[in-house]
Amino acid sequence: MTSWHDKIISLSRVKSERECFEACVSVVRDLGFEYCCYAIKLPLRISQSKVVVLNNYPAEWQHYCDAKKYLELDPTFQHGIWSDEIFAKAIELWQESRSFGLRAGWLQSSRDANGLQGLLTVARSSEPLSDSELQDKSPKLSRLARIMHSTMSQ
């Protein structure tokens, strides 16, 4: 069985965005999460950019979020974790995400010297993240986010 560390290292050797994302999903599942999204914003010109998004969230949830423009309301982008307290000011979004089976999550943003911005989110349908789990998994997920950003920005 391949360790999470070996899987993370192998991300730097992938040949396509899809292969990179599939390897990321494997690592995320090993860490106890079902869902993963990686988005990277690529600057094209001064006033233009391209956003590449790869994820395995339920298709129904993706369509629902797009229709409701939930990314503009999502408080996790400011706080980095999902919890009842964080979603107190976005209760509709919290209730809707839970109705789609999304109950706990974590995210890490990235930005490099070239202006490329990335965001890794992971989520699961089971119990919330405990403090000890956050302590254990945050460094691993942060490393995954850095490697994803480096690999996806090439």
Side-chain angles (χ1 to χ4, degrees), residues 63-121:
H63 297 306
Y64 193 81
C65 284
D66 289 345
K68 292 273 197 167
K69 300 188 187 298
Y70 272 161
L71 287 180
E72 297 170 13
L73 306 172
D74 192 338
T76 61
F77 292 112
Q78 296 171 1
H79 300 281
I81 60 170
W82 297 15
S83 70
D84 290 331
E85 295 81 26
I86 299 300
F87 276 97
K89 293 181 181 174
I91 196 71
E92 180 183 353
L93 173 58
W94 186 230
Q95 290 170 340
E96 293 296 333
S97 66
R98 292 172 68 85
S99 77
F100 282 88
L102 306 173
R103 299 205 176 359
W106 180 96
L107 64 88
Q108 175 74 48
S109 62
S110 306
R111 185 181 185 114
D112 64 26
N114 297 317
L116 299 174
Q117 299 172 332
L119 182 68
L120 172 68
T121 67

Side-chain angles (χ1 to χ4, degrees), residues 55-66:
N55 76 80
N56 71 337
Y57 282 87
E60 300 84 16
W61 175 244
Q62 293 176 47
H63 297 306
Y64 193 81
C65 284
D66 289 345

